[in-house]
Amino acid sequence: MATHKLLLLPGDGIGPEVMGEVKRLIDWLNSAGIAKFETDTGLVGGSAYDAHKESISEGDMAKAKDADAIIFGAVGGPKWDAVPYEVRPEAGLLRLRKDLGLFANLRPAVCYPALADASSLKREAVEGLDIVIVRELTGGVYFGEPKTITDLGNGQKRAVDTQVYDTYEIERIGRVAFELARKRKNKVTSMEKRNVMKSGVLWNEVMTAVHKREYPDVTLEHQLADSGGMMLVKAPKQFDVIVTDNLFGDMLSDIAAMLTGSLGMLPSASLGEVDVKSKKRKALYEPVHGSAPDIAGQGLANPIAMISSFGMALRYSFDMGDLADKVDAAIAAVLASGLRTADIKSEGTTAASTTQMGEAILKELQKLHA
C-alpha cells in the first residue's frame, strides 16, 4: 500500500478545531488499514506570525513542497489586523497558492436533502443542487502588478490593483472546467465582464477557442459575471460547472456557499499542473469558511466543510473516489439523522458540538466499511 504524505496546516480561529476532526478520520483510516497517510503539521497565518513574525516559515514552505497534499484550516482574525501588509495571515495562503502553482480552485456547492430548508432560498430552488465553481487562482487582480498605494499630497492617495491575464492562464483553467464537465452534466458556463473589461474580452475569446478546438462535445455558455451572480440566487440549478477569474470566482463561490445553508458546508480544492513524469499534481484542500474567531474554542464550529475537503483530497490527489463517495454518504446520513451544529440548527433537530459531529460522521463511515 502506498504511503501518502499529508501536511496539516490548521491555521487560526476554528481551524485547529475542525482540523482535529479530519485528524481523527485519518487516524482511523491508518489503523483500519484502509489507507496509509504520513502526516506532519505546520503553522500558517496568524499563528505563524506569532511564532516567526511571518505568515509562513521557510521550513513549513519546504514541507508544503514535499507533501503529496496539504490540508488547510483557516487563517486570520482581528488580532492581526495591525500587522504589516506583507506578513498578514492571508499572505501565507497566497504564497502557498503562488509558489506551488495552485492555479485551479474547485468549489462544489451541494445542497444535501436534509438541509434544503436551511438555505436562504426556497426549497424548490436548491433541493438537489450540485454545481462546481472553477476559479482561476494564481492570476488576475490579486496578483497583478503594479499593486500600489501612492501618496499624491494634499491629503490624497491613489490605490492601484492590476487585472492581468495571459492566454495560457485562461486556457489551462478552461481545460480543467471542460474536463470536469465531461464527468458531470457536460455543461460549462464561463463568466467574465467583457462589456467593460479588456481582460474579460480576452477571457471570452480564449474560452471560445479552447472549446471549439478541444471540447466541442461540451456545451459552453457565456454570461456576464454580475448577471451570473443574480442567476445564482434566482435559479442556481441551471448551472453545472462555472468557470471564472480570480476576483469573480471569490465572490461567486461565496454566493454559492449560502445556497447550501452555511459557509460551514463548503469544501474546496486548489490544484496545480499534472507533472509529466510523476503524473502527480500539487494540491491544497480547505474549507471555504473563514477562521470565525468569535466562536473559536467553544465547540460550535461545523467540521463538515473540513471533512469534505479531505474527501476531495481522497478523490483528486489519491485516486480514492470510492472512499470519497463514502465520506459524502456518511455526511448525508448524519444530516438526515437530524444532527446539527449551531450554524445549521433548526427546529426539531438535535444540537451537536464540533466533536460530536465529527464523531458521528466517523461512525457512519465505519458502518459503510463494515
Side-chain angles (χ1 to χ4, degrees):
M1 184 184 296
T3 299
H4 305 296
K5 296 177 70 173
L6 288 175
L7 176 62
L8 309 182
L9 295 174
D12 309 318
I14 63 172
E17 295 172 69
V18 294
M19 185 68 78
E21 300 313 309
V22 167
K23 186 65 166 62
R24 186 201 307 275
L25 186 56
I26 292 169
D27 290 344
W28 175 72
L29 291 173
N30 283 339
S31 64
I34 296 168
K36 192 173 181 182
F37 292 106
E38 179 185 302
T39 62
D40 199 351
T41 303
L43 299 175
V44 67
S47 59
Y49 180 81
D50 289 345
H52 310 297
K53 292 296 181 280
E54 52 189 343
S55 56
I56 186 167
S57 69
E58 293 303 322
D60 283 335
M61 273 304 307
K63 290 180 182 180
K65 291 175 180 178
D66 188 50
D68 293 320
I70 300 162
I71 312 297
F72 186 98
V75 292
K79 178 182 177 182
W80 302 283
D81 282 350
V83 305
Y85 182 80
E86 62 274 9
V87 291
R88 70 201 187 282
E90 294 78 11
L93 178 56
L94 292 177
R95 183 179 176 190
L96 285 164
R97 290 171 177 172
K98 194 69 173 178
D99 286 11
L100 298 179
L102 307 177
F103 72 92
N105 183 232
L106 278 56
R107 293 192 174 187
V110 177
C111 185
Y112 290 94
L115 288 184
D117 290 324
S119 172
S120 53
L121 300 189
K122 294 178 180 178
R123 170 180 280 272
E124 56 266 28
V126 295
E127 191 170 23
L129 178 71
D130 182 358
I131 64 175
V132 179
I133 295 179
V134 179
R135 169 189 172 191
E136 199 291 322
L137 204 58
T138 57
V141 75
Y142 289 177
F143 292 99
E145 295 291 344
K147 181 183 290 289
T148 61
I149 297 178
T150 305
D151 193 332
L152 302 177
N154 298 319
Q156 298 294 305
K157 293 183 179 180
R158 174 177 295 142
V160 175
D161 291 290
T162 306
Q163 170 86 341
V164 178
Y165 273 109
D166 292 340
T167 299
Y168 82 93
E169 293 176 294
I170 305 171
E171 287 178 336
R172 68 183 183 180
I173 196 67
R175 291 189 183 104
V176 170
F178 287 122
E179 293 288 347
L180 186 59
R182 278 179 169 171
K183 298 175 182 178
R184 293 172 52 88
K185 300 173 186 174
N186 224 40
K187 179 183 176 182
V188 170
T189 304
S190 174
M191 295 189 184
E192 27 65 11
K193 284 288 289 181
R194 63 189 180 277
N195 57 335
V196 291
M197 299 172 68
K198 288 294 185 181
S199 59
V201 173
L202 181 63
W203 185 280
N204 182 279
E205 289 177 356
V206 173
M207 283 293 173
T208 300
V210 170
H211 173 253
K212 183 177 180 180
R213 184 174 66 243
E214 302 175 36
Y215 302 94
D217 56 302
V218 180
T219 298
L220 172 64
E221 295 179 347
H222 296 281
Q223 192 154 12
L224 297 178
D226 49 352
S227 64
M230 178 187 71
M231 294 310 298
L232 267 176
V233 298
K234 182 182 179 182
K237 287 190 285 187
Q238 68 183 282
F239 300 113
D240 179 28
V241 176
I242 295 171
V243 62
T244 189
D245 73 11
N246 207 340
L247 175 61
F248 295 138
D250 195 354
M251 296 178 177
L252 292 169
S253 58
D254 276 9
I255 292 172
M258 290 314 299
L259 302 178
T260 69
S262 170
L263 272 173
M265 296 298 300
L266 262 74
S268 76
S270 299
L271 310 176
E273 294 271 21
V274 176
D275 183 83
V276 177
K277 292 182 179 178
S278 69
K279 303 301 180 184
K280 294 182 178 181
R281 67 199 316 164
K282 296 296 183 186
L284 180 149
Y285 300 89
E286 62 175 313
V288 173
H289 63 67
S291 62
D294 56 318
I295 62 168
Q298 301 175 47
L300 297 174
N302 186 343
I304 289 178
M306 187 82 256
I307 293 171
S308 295
S309 295
F310 177 66
M312 292 186 77
L314 296 174
R315 190 180 305 280
Y316 294 110
S317 283
F318 306 124
D319 196 27
M320 299 180 187
D322 288 345
L323 182 56
D325 288 342
K326 288 178 180 178
V327 170
D328 291 341
I331 292 170
V334 170
L335 292 172
S337 76
L339 208 62
R340 301 284 188 274
T341 46
D343 58 316
I344 52 175
K345 183 79 172 66
S346 60
E347 189 176 346
T349 58
T350 304
S353 67
T354 306
T355 300
Q356 288 169 336
M357 180 62 82
E359 287 176 343
I361 291 169
L362 177 54
K363 286 179 181 177
E364 285 294 337
L365 184 60
Q366 291 168 337
K367 288 180 188 177
L368 292 169
H369 262 282

